[in-house]
Amino acid sequence: MEPSFASPGVSRYARGPMALQKVTQVAGTAVCVPGMDIDTDRIIPARFMKCVTFDGLGEFAFYDVRKNADGTDKPHPLNDPRFAGANILLAGANFGCGSSREHAPQALYRFGFRAVVAESFAEIFFGNCTTLGIPCVVATAQDIHMLAAEVERNPKLEVTVDLGAERIFFEDQDFPIVLPQSARDALTSGQWDPIAELLEHKDAVDRKIHELGVI
């Protein structure tokens, strides 16, 4: 089942140190947003980045390709009621390219996505997703297209992104995925957020600071 961990961002740290949930697999339904080179400005337009916290960014994810000027819906997979509640995003190559805005993965998280499957990822976007506990896994174009076709046929298809097995499972089929060992280890061990890690071990950090005579 999908891991249940606190929403990332300022609000999590405001409650004090806490152990991070291990992300070993993400299960749920999927939706495909086709296209190559989907950049961070398309994921979250810059005008929605004037916020103190990341709360509420989800409603603006992919806003300009989902909405008309008057706020009504355009034809788009994320507006299709068949895919409502999907938590696994399927995409093409070089997903998350462009400016290195942390708001992009934050918007995806708050829209409800807990894993992204693509042919490749922009490096900074990949890192920002990992520190939110969102696995970004790579699969071949052929496998993604095949899964997208199955999802189109059955929008309620149960899909599991298994980081331990390094495969995606659905019905009686599966295919391999690629995730850098460092990211896989961080996610599956619950050590995906460096700031939360420091807060969790604040006493040890304070002791080391005093040992080194920094303060």
Side-chain angles (χ1 to χ4, degrees), residues 23-26 116-117 126 135-140 143 159-170 173-188:
V23 184
T24 58
Q25 62 176 219
V26 177
V116 184
V117 184
F126 177 93
C136 289
V137 301
V138 171
T140 66
D143 284 337
V159 178
T160 299
V161 179
D162 192 315
L163 304 188
E166 294 185 275
R167 302 191 76 83
I168 289 179
F169 297 92
F170 55 100
Q173 302 183 68
D174 63 275
F175 58 78
I177 53 176
V178 176
L179 181 67
Q181 186 69 38
S182 57
R184 185 163 73 94
D185 289 347
L187 290 163
T188 58

Side-chain angles (χ1 to χ4, degrees), residues 1-9 12-13 18-27 87-89 102 104-110 112-117 121 124-137 161 163 179 182-197:
M1 294 299 293
E2 173 200 342
S4 173
F5 47 83
S7 297
R12 183 179 67 213
Y13 305 129
M18 57 175 289
L20 294 174
Q21 191 79 16
K22 296 178 181 180
V23 184
T24 58
Q25 62 176 219
V26 177
N87 63 340
I88 299 170
L89 176 63
E102 187 183 358
Q106 291 279 357
L108 293 180
Y109 186 98
R110 283 162 173 76
F113 291 116
R114 295 297 179 269
V116 184
V117 184
F121 294 91
I124 295 176
F125 175 85
F126 177 93
N128 285 338
C129 281
T130 302
T131 59
L132 294 181
I134 303 175
C136 289
V137 301
V161 179
L163 304 188
L179 181 67
S182 57
R184 185 163 73 94
D185 289 347
L187 290 163
T188 58
S189 65
Q191 297 178 317
W192 39 268
D193 188 328
I195 297 176
E197 279 286 297

Side-chain angles (χ1 to χ4, degrees), residues 34-178:
M36 306 293 184
D37 303 314
I38 294 178
D39 62 23
T40 53
D41 190 59
R42 197 184 319 180
I43 296 170
I44 181 69
R47 66 186 182 280
F48 299 120
M49 294 168 54
K50 300 174 183 178
C51 54
V52 177
T53 72
F54 297 118
D55 297 336
L57 277 183
E59 66 180 296
F60 303 119
F62 291 98
Y63 191 88
D64 287 344
V65 291
R66 288 195 303 115
K67 299 289 185 179
N68 294 303
D70 61 0
T72 57
D73 286 349
K74 296 179 180 179
H76 191 276
L78 299 186
N79 291 332
D80 191 330
R82 296 180 303 153
F83 304 116
N87 63 340
I88 299 170
L89 176 63
L90 309 179
N94 200 26
F95 187 79
C97 59
S99 63
S100 56
R101 60 186 67 169
E102 187 183 358
H103 298 69
Q106 291 279 357
L108 293 180
Y109 186 98
R110 283 162 173 76
F111 193 86
F113 291 116
R114 295 297 179 269
V116 184
V117 184
E119 296 172 49
S120 61
F121 294 91
E123 184 177 356
I124 295 176
F125 175 85
F126 177 93
N128 285 338
C129 281
T130 302
T131 59
L132 294 181
I134 303 175
C136 289
V137 301
V138 171
T140 66
Q142 180 179 357
D143 284 337
I144 293 172
H145 292 161
M146 181 260 293
L147 177 54
E150 291 297 310
V151 169
E152 180 66 28
R153 177 184 62 83
N154 176 18
K156 300 306 178 186
L157 179 71
E158 183 76 8
V159 178
T160 299
V161 179
D162 192 315
L163 304 188
E166 294 185 275
R167 302 191 76 83
I168 289 179
F169 297 92
F170 55 100
E171 291 185 337
D172 59 349
Q173 302 183 68
D174 63 275
F175 58 78
I177 53 176
V178 176

